[in-house]
Amino acid sequence: MKNPVMPASGTFGAGREYSEFIDLNCLGALVVKTVTLRPRDGNAPPRLYEVSSGMLNSIGLQNEGIDHFIEHDLPYLRQFDVPIIINIAGNTLEEYAQLCREIKGVEGISGIELNISCPNIKAGGIAFGASSRLAEQVTAAARYNTDLPLIVKLTPNVYNVSKIAQAVVYGGANAVSLINTLVGMSIDTNTFKPHLGNITGGLSGPAIKPVAVRMVWEVAQTVKVPIIGIGGINSTLDAIEFLLAGATAVAIGTANFVNPRVMIEIIDGIESFLRQRNMSDIRQIIGKVKV
Amino acid sequence: MFQVNADVIAKEEVIPGVFSLTIVSPVISENAKPGQFVHIACNQGGNFILRRPFSIHRIVPGKAFEILFRVVGRGTEALSRVKVYDILDVIGPLGNGFKYSERITSALLVAGGLGLAPLLYLAEELTNEQVKFYPMLGAQTKTKLLRYIDFKRIGKKTYVATDDGSSGHNGTVADLLNRTIHYIRPEIIYACGPEPMLRKVAQTADEFGVKCQVSLETKMACGVGVCLGCACVTRQGYKMVCKDGPVFDARDIIWDKEEIEPTLLGGYRCETAKVSDPG
């Protein structure tokens, strides 16, 4: 990786749209939107609602399925000199395993991120991420079916995130990424109806950053594998906070929607942050929070 | 699409609570088409974060574009406090606009309230193409009837409806359309306004066999087709208002939530079909 900055899954599609705004070759890695075994149409609208310092979404993993991804998106992504991380989700353990098998030997994929934390689908998703037993099982199932580096994306909607992190490491994860969105809800006081068609949705944006930093810090105390810190990162200093808490890399989500150039600004920003402090290696700040 | 830091060179409070901003951007004004929109960062650093989409209202060719908006929430409220010479972070032009050509014999432009914003731009382009068109403007009351003079200047005949009857037809613009479509007999209708109005306009157009394009409005996050948040339901499944629209063929839109296929309510596509299909 050239640098520790990548998009968070689902906020960058497969790169096409934002390639008009930034040079994708500059990214540390490119995490694509969740791919499932078969196409999903997603949830009924309205699918998003902005709240104070954040947004709720209930997209429902709309995507065209793994075959379409391999045929149409991957050839496009292969032209860039950037590690491609495919994010996958299934309804069942077997679907995660099968997705890993489908990816086997496919050229141009550098890693797999297991989405076991989507709050917006009826089956699978968060169910796997909320139980350490299931989280370990699904990771092991994926591990058994792939030789690629395996990242597991964790949900904050649990009491003890470290326990889940530990479980997925036992299951064979090479890294963890956290946090996915927090389940939230918002109600229209005129109509008495929820603002989202799916009633509840995932909260993202600056509002969740302190929760994310705390969870990254907790997990960093517990597991040895690299952590990708995610949650409301909007600026260089937000990213630095995550690194100090113990993340080795960061992923930018909602902020991409606000400013398509934000990742480039953060990549440059981290570099000048280190330079200003006469630091030559990012490891000089990773996990260096003074507590 | 481009992301630019653009100067505001003119601001006007057209009527209380409704503002127009003229924003300098040669690259956006050169590439824009009627019905397209711009996505503006209204308050970076405040307690709301997302950009707000605005139809392009008018173009100063090669130089600038104008937006017209009513203050309805935090985003528009912040934008209404922008001053001349302030700089705005703008992404645009975005989306697919109205489809038209010089071969159209006559067009009817139906605007509900601020729905007139993209239609004035369209009207000016239709004038350039020498297409005959009729503006039909709806407002709550005479004083809220905006850009009447501008439409009247270039339109064949301008129809007006006000909810309180203070000008033109006493009733809604959709109602006026229903009463007049049989003698205006347009080849195509272009409509923009609140959803209940668009729905009625689409119904009327369908009844009289007139082609109709509607410009939809939804909440958006990215504005460029990435987040898949601004879905609308069409006969071809979910479409994104920002990227596939905001202008759609009215016949493609499914207006009744009850008509949404169960396969579109989460889960895998055709899951239900597969269960019932023995093959």
Side-chain angles (χ1 to χ4, degrees):
Chain A
M1 263 171 54
K2 291 169 218 161
N3 61 66
V5 180
M6 63 191 90
S9 177
T11 65
F12 211 69
R16 274 196 194 82
E17 293 80 5
Y18 284 134
S19 70
E20 295 196 30
F21 297 92
I22 59 170
D23 180 1
L24 302 188
N25 292 310
C26 295
L27 300 176
L30 199 160
V31 188
V32 302
K33 178 164 172 69
T34 298
V35 181
T36 54
L37 210 47
R38 285 184 280 149
R40 293 180 70 101
D41 286 311
N43 290 331
R47 290 178 175 183
L48 61 87
Y49 187 72
E50 184 167 18
V51 295
S52 290
S53 302
M55 65 175 254
L56 287 167
N57 86 79
S58 63
I59 311 298
L61 299 186
Q62 177 175 345
N63 80 101
E64 290 298 318
I66 185 70
D67 293 343
H68 183 275
F69 175 79
I70 292 173
E71 241 169 82
H72 296 274
D73 294 326
L74 205 51
Y76 169 78
L77 290 166
R78 274 199 285 257
Q79 61 176 307
F80 299 101
D81 174 30
V82 56
I84 304 300
I85 296 170
I86 183 173
N87 178 300
I88 58 171
N91 284 354
T92 61
L93 215 67
E94 176 47 30
E95 284 187 7
Y96 281 96
Q98 201 185 330
L99 278 160
C100 289
R101 287 195 293 271
E102 304 264 346
I103 296 160
K104 214 168 212 165
V106 173
E107 189 201 332
I109 298 177
S110 302
I112 299 178
E113 183 177 56
L114 294 187
N115 180 357
I116 58 165
S117 44
C118 177
N120 294 323
I121 57 174
K122 290 191 186 83
I126 205 166
F128 289 106
S131 137
S132 22
R133 188 176 54 86
L134 289 177
E136 183 180 339
Q137 280 176 3
V138 74
T139 311
R143 178 76 289 163
Y144 185 74
N145 287 285
T146 184
D147 300 323
L148 289 169
L150 196 58
I151 305 161
V152 181
K153 186 161 178 178
L154 306 178
T155 174
N157 301 295
V158 291
Y159 172 65
N160 189 342
V161 72
S162 299
K163 227 174 119 185
I164 310 280
Q166 215 153 34
V168 303
V169 172
Y170 287 145
N174 302 104
V176 291
S177 53
L178 64 150
I179 58 176
N180 204 321
T181 54
L182 284 147
V183 183
M185 182 171 174
S186 175
I187 301 168
D188 186 328
T189 48
N190 283 321
T191 62
F192 291 18
K193 284 182 181 168
H195 278 122
L196 294 177
N198 199 43
I199 303 172
T200 62
L203 178 64
S204 65
I208 71 169
K209 200 191 77 183
V211 178
V213 172
R214 185 265 294 179
M215 288 192 162
V216 164
W217 177 70
E218 281 181 2
V219 170
Q221 318 295 303
T222 321
V223 300
K224 295 271 186 296
V225 299
I227 298 167
I228 301 169
I230 318 171
I233 300 176
N234 232 343
S235 65
T236 298
L237 295 183
D238 292 344
I240 299 287
E241 257 189 81
F242 276 86
L243 297 171
L244 288 169
T248 18
V250 291
I252 318 297
T254 304
N256 287 310
F257 303 151
V258 182
N259 175 13
R261 289 194 292 244
V262 70
M263 287 194 288
I264 305 296
E265 290 170 12
I266 291 174
I267 291 165
D268 295 343
I270 292 175
E271 226 182 274
S272 33
F273 181 91
L274 294 175
R275 207 179 320 115
Q276 279 160 16
R277 285 161 184 78
N278 291 319
M279 293 173 172
S280 52
D281 191 336
I282 195 163
R283 276 173 292 194
Q284 289 173 270
I285 57 169
I286 291 173
K288 291 292 153 51
V289 57
K290 295 175 181 167
V291 286
Chain B
M1 46 199 178
F2 306 91
Q3 184 179 9
V4 295
N5 288 319
D7 281 294
V8 175
I9 45 160
K11 177 188 177 181
E12 186 195 352
E13 186 162 9
V14 185
I15 55 168
V18 175
F19 294 82
S20 92
L21 292 179
T22 306
I23 300 164
V24 181
S25 172
V27 73
I28 290 179
S29 69
E30 272 161 26
N31 289 284
K33 292 184 183 70
Q36 286 191 302
F37 68 96
V38 290
H39 213 26
I40 302 183
C42 298
N43 183 28
Q44 279 180 317
N47 80 337
F48 69 93
I49 50 173
L50 298 179
R51 288 169 184 266
R52 298 291 188 268
F54 299 93
S55 288
I56 298 174
H57 176 45
R58 255 194 297 221
I59 287 281
V60 184
K63 291 197 180 72
F65 64 90
E66 185 182 344
I67 59 168
L68 182 72
F69 63 95
R70 175 182 295 123
V71 174
V72 290
R74 288 182 292 186
T76 44
E77 206 275 321
L79 199 61
S80 74
R81 281 186 272 110
V82 159
K83 295 185 287 293
V84 174
Y85 300 126
D86 279 357
I87 290 172
L88 290 173
D89 175 349
V90 183
I91 295 177
L94 297 172
N96 287 306
F98 296 105
K99 292 183 190 68
Y100 59 92
S101 78
E102 76 284 350
R103 290 192 299 278
I104 294 171
T105 51
S106 74
L108 184 61
L109 277 50
V110 186
L114 276 230
L116 66 88
L119 293 175
L120 184 57
Y121 182 16
L122 176 66
E124 287 178 348
E125 290 300 309
L126 291 178
T127 308
N128 293 341
E129 300 282 344
Q130 301 185 324
V131 172
K132 182 175 75 177
F133 67 91
Y134 304 90
M136 188 175 275
L137 311 175
Q140 283 174 343
T141 181
K142 190 179 175 178
T143 51
K144 291 188 175 175
L145 191 67
L146 305 177
R147 305 296 192 233
Y148 173 73
I149 301 295
D150 304 87
F151 277 108
K152 193 172 171 2
R153 190 169 47 81
I154 52 178
K156 188 84 179 144
K157 174 182 181 352
T158 302
Y159 298 84
V160 167
T162 48
D163 295 348
D164 63 357
S166 51
S167 177
H169 170 75
N170 186 346
T172 69
V173 71
D175 187 29
L176 174 61
L177 172 72
N178 207 329
R179 286 157 186 258
T180 51
I181 189 169
H182 66 279
Y183 69 79
I184 302 176
R185 294 222 152 268
E187 183 186 328
I188 186 164
I189 292 171
Y190 298 102
C192 185
E195 195 183 300
M197 167 226 150
L198 290 181
R199 185 190 179 122
K200 280 183 205 148
V201 169
Q203 251 167 23
T204 306
D206 200 38
E207 236 169 77
F208 287 85
V210 178
K211 284 182 283 184
C212 180
Q213 293 176 21
V214 291
S215 176
L216 301 185
E217 186 175 40
T218 56
K219 294 196 187 303
M220 289 179 189
C222 74
V224 298
V226 168
C227 72
L228 310 184
C230 61
C232 65
V233 194
T234 76
R235 308 215 176 269
Q236 295 84 39
Y238 288 128
K239 295 280 179 194
M240 295 307 135
V241 172
C242 72
K243 195 179 184 180
D244 302 312
V247 178
F248 291 92
D249 187 320
R251 283 168 306 185
D252 288 340
I253 301 296
I254 294 177
W255 303 95
D256 281 301
K257 298 266 183 290
E258 291 69 35
E259 268 187 61
I260 298 179
E261 296 284 326
T263 53
L264 292 181
L265 299 174
Y268 289 125
R269 182 178 305 160
C270 305
E271 203 155 40
T272 335
K274 268 201 180 123
V275 173
S276 58
D277 179 11

